[in-house]
Amino acid sequence: MKRKEDDRFIQGKGNFIDDVKLPGMLYMDIVRSPYAYAKIKNIDSSEALKIPGVVAVITGKDLKEHNLHWMPTLMSDTQMVLPTDTVMYQAQEVAAVIATSRYIARDGKEAVKVEYEPMKPVMDPKKALDADAPVLRTDKEGKTDNHIWHWEVGDKEATEKVFNKADVTVSQEMYIPRIHVVSIETCGCVANYKKATNHLTMYMTTQAPHAIRTVIALVAGHLGLTEEKIRVISPDIGGGFGGKVPIYPGYVIAIAVSFLTGAPVKWIEDRTENLQADSFGRDYHIKVEMAATKKGKILATRFKVLADHGYTDAAANPSKFPAGMFSIGTGSYDYKTAFMEADAVYTNKPPGGIAYRCSFRVTEAVHAVERITDRLALEIGMDPAQLRFENFIKKDQFPWKSPTGWEYDSGDYQAGLEKAMKAIDYDGLRKEQVEKRNNGELMGIGIATFTEIVGAGPSKDFDILGIKMFDSAEIRVHPTGKAMARFGTKSQGQGHETTYAQIVAEELGIPAEHVQVEEGDTDTAPYGLGTYASRSTPTAGAAAAIASRKLRDKARKIAAYLLEVSEDDLEWEPGKFFVKGAPDKVKTIQEIAFAAYTNHPPGMEAGFEATHYYDPPNLTFPSGAYICVVDIDKETFEVKVRRFVAIDDCGHIINPMIVQGQVHGGLTQGIAPAMYEELIYDDDGNILNGTLMDYLVPTAVESPHWETGHTVTPSPHHPLGAKGVGESPTVGAPPAIANAIVDALAPYGITHLDIPITPQRIFDALKAKGILDTEFAV
Ligand code: CDP
């Protein structure tokens, strides 16, 4: 890439972290632990340092001299940058090798000899609180167990009472396994510290550049690296999905080495490191219960959760909600009583808890409620679609207060499910299923009707490390009527360059191609909390609309002055103001922009710029109705998703093509955990499928043809009526697929299977029921 050092990145032009090449740049590779839990007895870097081109080998002890060996996490926990004595998970960073090329750094890494004294790790979160479990976080003074936090919401006693009296109760234990975001691009950075100016430019693959700048200042402030001396530039990113929100040790080591050597330092993970050391989501053990009447009226739900966060709680979660928005788990149904509790524990796994393409634990919560709803349908012999229709919150009940305290803004769940059922011919499929079952064939139909909760957030409720979760837009219209719009969010492929330009264009009438969108440079963009949890449209998208409207108000004043009429005499049409009843007396937005710099009304501030920091009054509550049809091979137990209809409701749609793209990608990331993906560790803490040879990420080959559609229920409080959409399909697809597979197997007494539902899992479940392949006919 041809560019001068520290040039401003233009987003959407293919400038990725690997393209950053600075003069005199050093390269870093990382020595990682083969053990999940071990004492470090010795690190011998003498052979590595003999390799020409190896500049240094950095250990935790080196960092300790500058008090840089620990760092805060985004959940107010602490994390080792490099260990001084103990490693806590397999693939943990142990030492960093700095060299003049990437290849020499890799040779140097192979030459570093580390002596370990392995210890028995804690791998099962259910045993992490046992009296004989070793206390893992001995760095925390007074810590006597592996408990991280307890969180609860709802009314425990009232829920107990409802459960005690209910006609029917169903209960299910389930595990939502640890999986990986597997973005196409791994994580990486270039830290460029200049001694002369005491200034750090940090190019890094981050979804939240401003928050990261603040955290770097908190970590390195004592070395004089204060926030105004730090510039974070997040270039184009090849997928984030939550995995590029946390701060990983590699970033901090690169900064420390650049600080110590005065040279730019580049660190880019390879695929295996990425898959083994960071960006993990889920790992939730859930017991979910539902109480109902015999006729299928849902009365209450109860959730008990155990969250495995690995050795530190490093995920980004709003401070007040350590289990994120798990409490959306009451679902799309109208009942008054619920109780949820969650406990998080430390284990010897890498830090987990990433909100993988979901609004902080919504995927886990929705899976639980949609599975238990089907479980109830099976128990009382009611069609799962009918059960949902009986219990939906009705269109006229919004705004609706959930038993866990949320106020759902709007929704029309009935319309969504009806549309999905019509599109897939639900009644026809059920008839076909009866015939197939009579012939002993395995066909299943699964439904998920989910409500999401996105757009964190109202700053009264949502902060990360105390930083309020608003977001921002700054629009500068130049004299010639072309605009620059900058945002506190950061696209990782969601197309903000297109949709934000569209919002400004729709609001101001400036053609979208004349609006240059920029994100990801803390020196130029207004402060914001970044892009994850489908929050960009609900927050920065709203900020773009309001900043545009501020400009329109100013434009009206300028137009009135130029046309010599009162403001009330003017009418707006996108792109121009004209005098009511005299459409030829007109000033275009371009003429108005020019006048703002050349001929503005006396007393008015010159220029044509506006900024807005948008603090939403509420979250937005998108919803979806998904229906999946599967056929299961009776000999191999391979599941074929024959059809999948996804009807989404994200309120007003800004760009239908982008939304459809978001839904297609998200559905594929939904079939992945439902049928293929799970990270597996043995009792010694070894990851058993830590390469893409063993960890099956579905491609176009495994993906079915997605049939998508939408209903539109605008958000009443968002300036455009829009709700987020980026994560809905990842949330809705797994329960729809799991429900379909269980539906296919229900005649054989199977009421639940944990995801990923592999052929082996189906085989084992049928075998456990004593079903042989000759006995499929009912
Ligand atoms: O925060 P993130 O960008 O991941 O999620 P989002 O706000 O749901 O937006 C994903 C993409 O879909 C963006 O380009 C949005 O502008 C677009 N979108 C849209 O066109 N209409 C909506 N109602 C919601 C999102």
Side-chain angles (χ1 to χ4, degrees):
M1 189 183 83
K2 287 191 181 65
R3 49 184 291 291
K4 283 196 281 138
E5 188 177 337
D6 283 5
D7 265 359
R8 179 164 53 71
F9 269 91
I10 304 296
Q11 305 298 322
K13 299 280 185 206
N15 293 320
F16 290 89
I17 193 71
D18 207 27
D19 297 318
V20 181
K21 295 186 174 74
L22 304 181
M25 192 161 78
L26 297 175
Y27 296 80
M28 180 168 103
D29 208 333
I30 293 180
V31 178
R32 294 178 182 274
S33 169
Y35 296 106
Y37 190 34
K39 289 269 174 230
I40 299 173
K41 288 175 71 184
N42 187 41
I43 300 177
D44 178 0
S45 44
S46 55
E47 288 303 315
L49 290 167
K50 283 183 199 157
I51 298 173
V54 171
V55 174
V57 176
I58 307 288
T59 66
K61 289 192 175 133
D62 299 320
L63 294 184
K64 192 175 177 189
E65 283 174 28
H66 304 275
N67 198 21
L68 286 172
H69 55 313
W70 283 89
M71 63 182 187
T73 72
L74 294 174
M75 269 304 279
S76 303
D77 203 336
T78 49
Q79 178 170 3
M80 290 176 209
V81 180
L82 284 174
T84 49
D85 48 46
T86 312
V87 284
M88 304 296 279
Y89 59 90
Q90 190 180 56
Q92 184 180 342
E93 300 78 359
V94 172
V97 179
I98 315 300
T100 48
S101 85
R102 181 175 289 185
Y103 305 99
I104 298 173
R106 181 56 54 110
D107 287 348
K109 164 183 161 157
E110 305 302 333
V112 174
K113 302 268 175 299
V114 187
E115 263 182 82
Y116 299 93
E117 190 181 305
M119 298 182 282
K120 188 74 194 153
V122 178
M123 296 308 295
D124 182 351
K126 292 183 177 158
K127 294 184 181 154
L129 298 178
D130 287 357
D132 60 352
V135 178
L136 298 178
R137 297 300 304 268
T138 46
D139 55 290
K140 290 174 182 277
E141 224 181 296
K143 188 95 187 105
T144 54
D145 60 23
N146 294 315
H147 191 255
I148 311 178
W149 45 254
H150 174 82
W151 162 90
E152 57 181 60
V153 66
D155 189 331
K156 190 174 185 173
E157 276 171 29
T159 307
E160 178 95 39
K161 272 190 200 147
V162 174
F163 269 85
N164 288 342
K165 281 204 208 139
D167 301 341
V168 188
T169 61
V170 279
S171 168
Q172 187 62 57
E173 303 228 0
M174 58 184 75
Y175 175 48
I176 314 285
R178 175 173 279 236
I179 56 172
H180 196 278
V181 304
V182 204
S183 339
I184 282 183
E185 187 198 30
T186 62
C187 298
C189 70
V190 176
N192 186 21
Y193 176 74
K194 288 270 166 36
K195 269 200 168 70
T197 49
N198 184 29
H199 186 275
L200 172 74
T201 303
M202 184 69 181
Y203 302 85
M204 65 190 282
T205 52
T206 175
Q207 299 175 230
H210 285 96
I212 297 293
R213 185 187 65 187
T214 303
V215 177
I216 295 173
L218 293 174
V219 178
H222 65 285
L223 300 173
L225 209 48
T226 46
E227 201 163 356
E228 81 286 8
K229 307 241 181 251
I230 302 166
R231 178 181 186 187
V232 175
I233 297 177
S234 184
D236 285 330
I237 293 183
F241 311 115
K244 288 174 181 153
V245 179
I247 300 171
Y248 297 120
Y251 299 136
V252 182
I253 307 169
I255 294 172
V257 176
S258 182
F259 191 80
L260 296 175
T261 60
V265 177
K266 186 178 212 171
W267 166 67
I268 295 189
E269 285 175 324
D270 68 21
R271 174 57 62 193
T272 308
E273 289 177 294
N274 176 250
L275 197 57
Q276 296 186 0
D278 57 53
S279 310
F280 303 101
R282 324 243 165 117
D283 221 342
Y284 256 42
H285 297 260
I286 305 171
K287 181 180 180 194
V288 52
E289 297 169 279
M290 189 170 254
T293 66
K294 269 187 259 171
K295 289 190 168 165
K297 173 81 194 85
I298 299 172
L299 301 173
T301 46
R302 186 160 53 193
F303 291 68
K304 192 165 173 53
V305 171
L306 182 66
D308 182 348
H309 276 285
Y311 109 91
T312 181
D313 193 6
N317 259 334
S319 308
K320 276 193 215 163
F321 301 97
M325 268 84 119
F326 189 81
S327 44
I328 196 68
T330 53
S332 309
Y333 314 114
D334 176 18
Y335 58 94
K336 303 262 173 298
T337 319
F339 178 68
M340 298 180 178
E341 59 183 325
D343 287 276
V345 293
Y346 293 123
T347 60
N348 286 106
K349 289 187 194 166
I354 297 287
Y356 170 17
R357 204 164 180 174
C358 88
S359 189
F360 315 108
R361 310 290 98 74
V362 172
T363 322
E364 293 89 323
V366 165
H367 196 81
V369 70
E370 288 304 297
R371 278 296 305 122
I372 200 72
T373 303
D374 259 40
R375 182 81 184 70
L376 174 66
L378 200 57
E379 186 77 17
I380 60 173
M382 194 173 198
D383 182 279
Q386 191 54 34
L387 178 66
R388 286 171 167 87
F389 282 127
E390 298 290 335
N391 286 284
F392 276 149
I393 303 157
K394 304 283 178 303
K395 184 165 112 176
D396 56 11
Q397 284 177 276
F398 292 91
W400 186 79
K401 263 258 176 333
S402 89
T404 49
W406 301 114
E407 187 177 287
Y408 292 16
D409 58 350
S410 64
D412 188 349
Y413 306 143
Q414 175 109 5
L417 184 53
E418 278 169 0
K419 191 166 180 175
M421 288 169 73
K422 194 160 171 240
I424 209 159
D425 183 19
Y426 186 78
D427 295 338
L429 284 168
R430 284 288 177 209
K431 282 189 197 123
E432 183 194 337
Q433 189 183 36
V434 171
E435 285 166 25
K436 288 236 158 102
R437 281 183 173 168
N438 287 338
N439 295 330
E441 289 177 53
L442 302 175
M443 170 190 167
I445 305 160
I447 300 177
T449 46
F450 61 93
T451 297
E452 262 238 88
I453 173 168
V454 304
S459 68
K460 64 179 170 35
D461 292 326
F462 292 93
D463 69 85
I464 287 183
L465 285 182
I467 309 168
K468 301 284 189 184
M469 295 186 76
F470 53 80
D471 231 292
S472 58
E474 181 204 86
I475 305 171
R476 297 180 176 184
V477 185
H478 309 313
T480 53
K482 314 289 187 291
M484 167 69 77
R486 292 184 168 124
F487 299 87
T489 47
K490 172 66 197 138
S491 182
Q492 311 116 48
Q494 294 93 325
H496 292 178
E497 299 84 357
T498 305
T499 46
Y500 287 162
Q502 269 184 268
I503 295 173
V504 177
E506 273 169 37
E507 293 290 329
L508 282 180
I510 296 173
E513 60 271 27
H514 292 168
V515 182
Q516 169 80 50
V517 170
E518 269 192 27
E519 300 174 291
D521 182 339
T522 56
D523 263 13
T524 54
Y527 201 99
L529 267 281
T531 290
Y532 41 87
S534 293
R535 64 186 298 278
S536 303
T537 307
T539 57
I546 295 180
S548 301
R549 288 171 197 177
K550 285 181 183 172
L551 283 173
R552 212 158 70 196
D553 290 345
K554 183 167 187 177
R556 179 184 286 274
K557 290 187 174 45
I558 297 173
Y561 171 71
L562 297 176
L563 292 165
E564 298 178 354
V565 293
S566 109
E567 284 179 47
D568 296 339
D569 292 334
L570 290 175
E571 203 141 310
W572 168 256
E573 196 175 88
K576 58 188 176 201
F577 275 109
F578 59 90
V579 178
K580 282 179 194 162
D584 53 328
K585 290 187 128 198
V586 64
K587 286 288 163 198
T588 65
I589 193 77
Q590 288 78 10
E591 288 169 322
I592 295 168
F594 195 70
Y597 295 90
T598 57
N599 181 24
H600 52 287
M604 177 188 270
E605 220 179 318
F608 206 42
E609 302 180 3
T611 303
H612 191 77
Y613 287 80
Y614 184 73
D615 187 359
N618 189 7
L619 293 134
T620 67
F621 294 77
S623 59
Y626 291 1
I627 307 183
C628 169
V629 185
V630 297
D631 297 300
I632 304 176
D633 187 290
K634 284 195 305 178
E635 284 171 11
T636 63
F637 305 105
E638 187 193 355
V639 176
K640 185 170 172 3
V641 176
R642 190 203 312 173
R643 289 190 67 191
F644 195 108
V645 167
I647 303 297
D648 275 285
D649 194 329
C650 59
H652 170 71
I653 295 175
I654 295 155
N655 185 313
M657 197 166 75
I658 285 195
V659 166
Q660 199 189 27
Q662 290 284 303
V663 172
H664 277 219
L667 290 171
T668 307
Q669 284 183 308
I671 194 175
M675 288 172 53
Y676 306 109
E677 294 182 4
E678 173 176 21
L679 284 157
I680 305 165
Y681 295 83
D682 70 13
D683 289 347
D684 292 324
N686 298 303
I687 182 163
L688 300 183
N689 53 350
T691 74
L692 290 184
M693 293 297 286
D694 312 300
Y695 183 82
L696 180 54
V697 178
T699 63
V701 175
E702 287 81 16
S703 305
H705 172 68
W706 306 116
E707 300 169 60
T708 59
H710 57 262
T711 50
V712 176
T713 315
S715 167
H717 60 79
H718 186 279
L720 302 169
K723 305 177 178 184
V725 76
E727 298 160 341
S728 292
T730 335
V731 167
I737 295 168
N739 284 347
I741 298 173
V742 172
D743 183 55
L745 302 171
Y748 308 100
I750 290 170
T751 54
H752 176 76
L753 287 171
D754 269 346
I755 55 171
I757 307 180
T758 57
Q760 182 72 47
R761 225 162 242 183
I762 296 172
F763 172 78
D764 290 344
L766 287 170
K767 202 168 164 209
K769 294 279 174 196
I771 307 287
L772 302 171
D773 56 357
T774 50
E775 293 174 341
F776 279 115
V778 181

